[in-house]
Amino acid sequence: MFHLIWYIIVGLIAGVIAKSVMHVHMTIFWTIALGIIGSLLGGAMTHVFSQPGNERFHPAGIIFSTLGAILILFICYKLRIHFPRVG
């Protein structure tokens, strides 16, 4: 249960930083989803450069989570995909 809460917190932080960098306004749900998906993408990027000792998935950390979320927002911007706005 603690892992789920931790993923939501890290997702929220990474999503807020990414949407601040890319100047995108979106709801809190999409911000958390963006951060969690960015964390998965960031974790995949870290596995490419550094193979893990065991075969278990581990989170990317806040830096690669944020970089993954920024990459997702950049791709959505280029593909003209819009997220629901606040208010």
Side-chain angles (χ1 to χ4, degrees):
M1 183 68 176
F2 181 71
H3 292 297
L4 180 63
I5 296 170
W6 184 248
Y7 287 144
I8 291 172
I9 292 171
V10 169
L12 177 64
I13 293 169
V16 166
I17 294 171
K19 76 178 193 175
S20 296
V21 168
M22 297 295 289
H23 303 290
V24 175
H25 301 286
M26 62 179 72
T27 62
I28 191 77
F29 172 77
W30 285 109
T31 303
I32 293 171
L34 172 70
I36 291 172
I37 294 169
S39 180
L40 293 173
L41 183 64
M45 287 189 303
T46 58
H47 283 270
V48 169
F49 297 115
S50 173
Q51 296 295 325
N54 59 6
E55 296 299 323
R56 296 187 62 192
F57 175 77
H58 63 83
I62 195 70
I63 294 171
F64 278 100
S65 297
T66 304
L67 290 176
I70 290 171
L71 180 64
I72 290 169
L73 282 177
F74 180 74
I75 291 169
C76 289
Y77 174 75
K78 288 297 183 181
L79 295 176
R80 300 177 193 263
I81 298 172
H82 300 286
F83 294 96
R85 290 181 174 244
V86 177

